[in-house]
Amino acid sequence: MTEDAGQVRVCEYRRCGAALPPAVGRGSRARFCQDGKTWGRRNLSCRDAEAVLSDAESLRESDTELDDTAVTALAGQVDRVLEPARGLVETLTTLRHQLEATTAAALAERDAALAEADEHRLHRGRADAEAAQARGAAEAAVAAAASAEKDKAAALRERDEEGAARRAAVQEQQRAEGQLAAVRDELARVADRADASAALAGERAGVIATLTAELAAARTALDEERGRGQAAAARAEAAETRADAVQQRFDAAREDHAQAIAAREAALNAALEARTEAVAAHEAALDRARADAEVLRAGFDQRLTELQAAHEQTVRSMHETTTNLGAELRAASSRADTAERELTGVLTALRETPELPATLKQLLDRSRPES
C-alpha cells in the first residue's frame, strides 16, 4: 500500500470540493476533477476555473492601480452606455408613477360617481315613495268627497221626502178646510130655509091654524135640522181644531226640518269645502312631489351623463397614456438594445485591443453577456 492509501482527497477548486478517486500506483496525483465537470458560461473545468479565480484575486490584491489608457477608455464607454440606461430607468419610474396616479384618480372618480349615483337613486326612491303617499292621500280625499256627495244626495232625498210630506199635509188641510166650508154652506142653507119658512109663516098668518100641524112638523124638522146643523158645526169646529193642531204641528215640523236641513246643508257644505281644500292641497303636494321627482330625475340623468362623459374621457386619457407609455417603452427598449449593442461592440473592441493584459481580457470574457 502507498502512503496516501488511507487519505481522502478532494478537488482543489474552492467551489467544487468533490471527492477525488483514490490514487493508484506511483506518479503525480490529480488535484482537480477529471470527470468532465464544467463551470460558468464559458464551461471552464475545475482547473481553469481555479486559475481564473486566482488571477482575479491577484488583480484585487495588487497594490498598483490600473491606470491604463484602454481601461480608462473602457470606463468612459461603459459610462456612456449606462447613461441612457439610467435615463430609461428614470423615465420608466416616472411613467409608472404617472400611471399609478392616473389610475388612482380614475378609480377614485369612479367610486365617487358610483356613490353619487347611489345617493341619486336613494333620493329618487324617496321622491317616488312620497308621490305614492300623496297619491294615496288624494285617492282617500276623493273617496271622502264621493262619500260627502252621497250624504248630500241622501239629505236632498230626505228634503224632497219632507217636502212631499208637507205637500200631503197641505192637501189634507185643504180637504179639511173644504169640508168645513161645505158644513158652513149647509148651515147657511138651513138658516136660509128657516128664514124663508118664517117669512112664509108671517105671510100666511091666516092659514096658521090650518098649518099648525105642518108648522109643528116643520118645527120638529127644524129642530132636527138645527140638531144636525149643530152637530155639523161641532164637527166643523172639531175639524178646524184638528186642522189647527195639524197646521201647528206641520209648521213646527217644517221649521224644525228646515233648520235641520239648513244645519245639515251647512255641515255638508263645510265638509265638502274641507274635502275640496284637502283634495286641492293633496293635488298640489302631489304636483310638487312630481315636480321635485322630475327635477331630481333630470339632475340625476344630467349628472349620470356628465359622469359617463368624464369616465369615457378618463378611459380615453388612460388609453392615450398607455399608448404613449407603450411607445416610450418601445423607444426605451430600442435605446437599451442600442446601448447593449454598443456595449457589446465596446467589449469586443477591448478584447481585440492587443495592449490590454491577458488577465483583463479574461475578465472581459467572463463578463460577456449570454446570447
Side-chain angles (χ1 to χ4, degrees):
M1 294 180 62
T2 63
E3 61 184 41
D4 297 333
Q7 296 179 356
V8 177
R9 298 183 304 111
V10 295
C11 179
E12 294 184 5
Y13 178 42
R14 67 195 69 181
R15 295 184 182 178
C16 179
L20 296 176
V24 178
R26 298 186 179 185
S28 62
R29 300 291 185 265
R31 296 185 298 117
F32 301 96
C33 295
Q34 303 294 325
D35 55 359
K37 186 186 303 181
T38 58
W39 301 88
R41 292 189 296 270
R42 298 178 60 189
N43 296 324
L44 300 176
S45 64
C46 292
R47 181 186 297 275
D48 296 334
E50 181 64 25
V52 170
L53 284 178
S54 298
D55 294 337
E57 288 178 354
S58 65
L59 289 175
R60 285 194 299 269
E61 294 172 357
S62 177
D63 294 334
T64 60
E65 296 182 357
L66 293 177
D67 54 356
D68 190 78
T69 305
V71 176
T72 304
L74 174 61
Q77 291 187 8
V78 170
D79 291 337
R80 286 194 301 271
V81 171
L82 290 178
E83 187 64 29
R86 293 192 188 95
L88 174 62
V89 171
E90 293 177 356
T91 302
L92 292 177
T93 303
T94 303
L95 291 176
R96 186 187 66 183
H97 292 327
Q98 291 178 355
L99 180 59
E100 291 177 353
T102 303
T103 304
L107 292 176
E109 188 173 357
R110 183 198 64 184
D111 295 337
L114 293 176
E116 188 172 358
D118 294 336
E119 185 177 0
H120 279 295
R121 280 193 293 271
L122 179 61
H123 287 306
R124 184 174 180 179
R126 290 177 179 175
D128 292 337
E130 292 178 358
Q133 292 178 358
R135 284 195 297 270
E139 291 176 356
V142 170
S147 177
E149 289 291 338
K150 290 180 180 179
D151 294 339
K152 185 177 180 179
L156 292 176
R157 284 195 300 271
E158 291 179 359
R159 185 181 64 184
D160 295 337
E161 291 176 357
E162 186 66 24
R166 183 178 60 186
R167 288 191 296 272
V170 171
Q171 292 176 359
E172 183 66 23
Q173 182 182 3
Q174 291 176 355
R175 284 194 297 272
E177 290 177 354
Q179 292 178 359
L180 180 59
V183 171
R184 288 176 178 174
D185 292 339
E186 184 67 22
L187 289 175
R189 286 193 297 273
V190 170
D192 292 338
R193 285 197 299 272
D195 293 337
S197 297
L200 182 62
E203 291 176 357
R204 294 181 180 181
V207 293
I208 292 174
T210 58
L211 296 176
T212 301
E214 294 180 0
L215 180 59
R219 287 178 178 175
T220 302
L222 180 59
D223 292 335
E224 292 177 357
E225 189 67 25
R226 285 180 178 176
R228 287 194 298 271
Q230 291 176 357
R235 288 195 300 270
E237 291 178 357
E240 288 181 355
T241 304
R242 288 195 302 271
D244 293 336
V246 169
Q247 183 66 34
Q248 292 176 357
R249 288 195 302 272
F250 176 73
D251 293 337
R254 181 175 61 186
E255 184 177 359
D256 294 338
H257 185 67
Q259 292 178 357
I261 290 176
R264 189 67 176 275
E265 286 182 353
L268 289 176
N269 291 327
L272 183 60
E273 290 178 357
R275 296 293 184 181
T276 304
E277 292 177 356
V279 170
H282 284 297
E283 289 180 353
L286 182 60
D287 293 336
R288 289 194 299 271
R290 288 175 179 172
D292 294 338
E294 291 296 332
V295 171
L296 290 175
R297 185 180 294 110
F300 172 74
D301 294 338
Q302 183 178 1
R303 182 58 180 168
L304 183 59
T305 303
E306 293 177 355
L307 291 176
Q308 289 178 351
H311 180 66
E312 292 176 358
Q313 180 65 28
T314 303
V315 170
R316 286 195 297 270
S317 177
M318 292 179 65
H319 180 69
E320 292 176 358
T321 303
T322 306
T323 304
N324 295 331
L325 287 175
E328 292 181 1
L329 286 174
R330 287 192 295 273
S333 178
S334 177
R335 290 195 299 270
D337 293 338
T338 302
E340 185 178 359
R341 286 195 298 271
E342 292 178 356
L343 181 59
T344 303
V346 169
L347 293 176
T348 302
L350 289 174
R351 292 189 193 94
E352 294 176 355
T353 301
E355 292 81 2
L356 289 176
T359 303
L360 186 56
K361 289 183 178 181
Q362 290 178 0
L363 290 175
L364 293 174
D365 290 338
R366 283 203 304 268
S367 64
R368 178 186 300 172
E370 293 183 356
S371 59

